[in-house]
Amino acid sequence: MTPLDSEIVFYAFRYCLGRQTYAVSTCADYLVARWGELQERDRELIVKEIRKALAEGRAGAACDVESWEKVLRR
């Protein structure tokens, strides 16, 4: 994954976190599948931001929360 690809994936993640749309599961599945290809700093930020959104109750609907928890379990 190029640095630009990594940036675009991170932007997509930020867009999806907290939304209630099918894009959440698509993004979460992509993150799980490509986790090892992401830059370490991006992985750390993704985990931090998911945990914060979950703790604050702003990670989306129940099905979205399940998708984000799947990323944390990857």
Side-chain angles (χ1 to χ4, degrees):
M1 184 174 295
T2 69
L4 179 58
D5 292 335
S6 213
E7 279 187 55
I8 291 171
V9 169
F10 193 77
Y11 300 153
F13 157 72
R14 281 239 172 109
Y15 171 83
C16 290
L17 185 61
R19 302 218 183 251
Q20 296 182 35
T21 174
Y22 66 90
V24 173
S25 64
T26 301
C27 181
D29 290 345
Y30 185 90
L31 290 172
V32 169
R34 302 285 183 99
W35 192 254
E37 298 175 43
L38 298 173
Q39 296 179 14
E40 180 65 25
R41 69 177 173 80
D42 291 339
R43 290 192 303 255
E44 290 171 358
L45 279 173
I46 288 168
V47 167
K48 179 181 175 182
E49 291 184 21
I50 291 172
R51 287 184 176 151
K52 184 175 182 188
L54 291 171
E56 294 174 355
R58 55 174 190 80
C63 60
D64 304 315
V65 168
E66 288 177 24
S67 291
W68 296 125
E69 287 174 341
K70 184 170 61 171
V71 174
L72 294 178
R73 289 190 306 267
R74 99 264 138 254

